[in-house]
Amino acid sequence: MSLKVLVVDDQGIVRAGFAAVIDAEDDMTVVGEAADGVAAVRLAEDLSPDVVLMDVRMPELDGIAATRIITARENAPRVLVLTTFDLDAYVFDALRAGASGFLLKDVHAFELLQGIRVVATGESVLAPSATRRLISHYASGPGSRDAGGPHELSTLTTSQRNVLGLVAAGLNNAEIADTLGITVGTVKSHVNALLRKLGLRDRVQATILAYDLGLAHPNQPGTHLRRP
C-alpha cells in the first residue's frame, strides 16, 4: 500500500514542488495539501495520512503548535518538519512537540523521500546540522527537563534500559542486537515496550528522554540520530 502524505506549507509553489516529487514515487501519494496549521490539523484528522510534511512558520497556527495537536491524537500520523530556518529553537521545539524528524527545505529529493519512508516506519531522522547541535546542546549542560525522572526509568527492565541507551546512541535494531547478543525481534519487542511504558511516540522522543535523564551522553561512541 502507498504511504499517504499530507503536505503543509504556506507557499503554494513549495507545496506543488513537494507534491510532484512525492507523487512520482510508486510507494507514496499526496492525499492533501494545507496552507496553514489550522487546515493541517483538520486534514490530518479527515484524511488519516501516514506522514505529514510540516512547515514551521505559517499563519493562523504555526507548524510547532499544529504538530503538538496532531501527534497528541490517537493513531496520529508521523510528522516530518521541513523548514528554511535551521535554528536551535525550531529543532528542539519541533521534536518535543512530537515530530519524528527535522529536515531543511533545500534537502535533496532523494533524502526527502527516504526521510518520509524512515519516519513512516517509526524511526527518526534529522538534518546533519541539527544532529550536531542537538548533541552540542546536551554537551553544554543538563537537559531541559526540570525534574529528573528516575521514577520513569524504574518501570523499565534492565534490558529495556540498555536498549534505550543504545537507541539514544543512534544504533539501529540490527546494531543493537549485535551489541547485546540478542535477536532483532527481541530488540523490537524491547523498543516497543519501553516506548509504551514511557508514553513516547518514537525513537527520537526516546533519545531526548535518555539525554534528559542522563542515560545517554554526547561523548558516547556512535551518538547520533539516523540520517536519511
Side-chain angles (χ1 to χ4, degrees):
M1 294 179 63
S2 293
L3 291 175
K4 298 184 294 183
V5 182
L6 172 63
V7 179
V8 183
D9 197 287
D10 63 343
Q11 298 184 50
I13 191 170
V14 174
R15 293 197 308 274
F18 286 146
V21 170
I22 294 167
D23 278 333
E25 297 297 296
D26 294 333
D27 63 337
M28 60 184 72
T29 184
V30 174
V31 294
E33 299 180 21
D36 57 65
V38 173
V41 170
R42 175 175 53 80
L43 290 178
E45 182 172 19
D46 293 344
L47 302 176
S48 299
D50 299 300
V51 177
V52 178
L53 290 187
M54 181 73 74
D55 188 20
V56 171
R57 299 182 64 172
M58 296 183 295
E60 302 297 331
L61 188 70
D62 66 39
I64 304 300
T67 295
R68 187 173 293 109
I69 295 171
I70 290 171
T71 58
R73 293 172 173 169
E74 187 175 358
N75 299 320
R78 304 291 175 178
V79 176
L80 178 57
V81 172
L82 293 173
T83 182
T84 306
F85 306 95
D86 187 16
L87 301 177
D88 288 347
Y90 289 158
V91 177
F92 302 135
D93 288 350
L95 297 180
R96 292 187 182 282
S100 295
F102 182 99
L103 293 174
L104 298 181
K105 288 184 180 179
D106 62 359
V107 67
H108 189 278
F110 173 79
E111 293 180 321
L112 170 63
L113 296 170
Q114 285 301 97
I116 293 172
R117 296 183 178 103
V118 166
V119 299
T121 65
E123 297 284 345
S124 309
V125 59
L126 283 180
S129 59
T131 304
R132 289 194 299 270
R133 290 182 295 103
L134 181 63
I135 293 172
S136 176
H137 168 75
Y138 282 100
S140 64
S144 61
R145 291 168 66 96
D146 294 328
H151 61 286
E152 297 180 59
L153 292 181
S154 69
T155 65
L156 303 183
T157 65
T158 299
S159 295
Q160 290 165 358
R161 284 175 63 115
N162 290 337
V163 169
L164 175 58
L166 294 174
V167 166
L171 277 65
N172 60 34
N173 287 346
E175 292 167 336
I176 294 174
D178 184 62
T179 299
L180 298 179
I182 58 180
T183 67
V184 172
T186 300
V187 173
K188 291 180 179 178
S189 295
H190 285 324
V191 171
N192 290 336
L194 70 89
L195 291 178
R196 183 179 66 254
K197 287 182 177 181
L198 298 176
L200 305 173
R201 282 186 48 78
D202 51 36
R203 296 166 81 108
V204 71
Q205 290 191 335
T207 296
I208 291 174
L209 180 64
Y211 274 109
D212 283 345
L213 300 184
L215 191 60
H217 306 280
N219 60 355
Q220 185 172 334
T223 299
H224 66 284
L225 292 179
R226 182 174 176 180
R227 292 169 54 183

